[in-house]
Amino acid sequence: MTKQLSILALLLLTLTGCSPSSTTLPAVKLYAMDCGITDISDMSDFSIEGKYKGEKLTLVYPCFLISHPKGDLIWDTGLPQTIADMPGGLKMGVYHMQVKANLKQQLGQLNMTTKDIEFLSLSHSHFDHVGNANLFAQSTFIVNAPEREYMFSDNRKHTDQDSLALYSELEKAKTTTFNNEHDVFGDGTVMIKSMPGHTVGSAILMLKLAKAGPVILTGDLYTHARARTMETFTRYHGDQAQTKRSREAFEDLVKQKKARVIIQHEKADYDALPAFPMYLE
Ligand SMILES: [Zn+2]
């Protein structure tokens, strides 16, 4: 290439934004897949302070796919797919759970199978987040060390056999454990951070998206939007004091990063995301 031509090429590269020195973030996409819905006829369980007695609430149970140029991460796996086969869904007390979509079929819409997923991580190991976890036993399981210990403890084996059966295959999966935070792709765009309290190793997911900016998925640090504004605690938080400390750390983080917050079970937050197979980028 002549000197003149190479200068022209450099100029074109700069003008088209393809300069080698470009600082553009990698193209990370956030997909929210439908992995169930629950109608609650009495929200009493959602405030130990008694603030929601007799109120109704609909919660959503998304499975999130985070697509990064270096690989794909599934964050939470929703309600068990077996509920889809139950006529009218599953009724347990005030809870009416339904699964209308199919996780494998949704991945299929992106021409993907579960085998294409390099990484699986869970905000925590409660029933409604591990429903399809065994589908990803061939992925690398990224988990907070205390949460993994809790998942496969004798106590869990004796007291929560139903949940354990949904993720039992992960005990043998290739596993990466962390304690405070884990940078999934090594560039700071997809970070998993400990926010214990709801369970011993609960975590949140922090994303840096090129267009949408910083986005944080809460796990069950908050189970619905009013839990955040009214500062209520469900009876499902294992350690209320620890949850409170994590919420304070979380709110500091949100302010510092100016992040968009997605409360995972909050229908309004889910509805505000692009409808699958569209994505936030
Ligand atoms: Zn939950």
Side-chain angles (χ1 to χ4, degrees), residues 46 59-61 76 123-124 126-129 198 219-220 222-223 264-265:
F46 287 79
L59 295 182
V60 293
Y61 297 74
D76 282 345
S123 63
H124 63 294
H126 280 166
F127 174 79
D128 56 312
H129 296 257
H198 185 68
D220 281 6
Y222 300 107
T223 44
Q264 294 184 205
H265 289 313

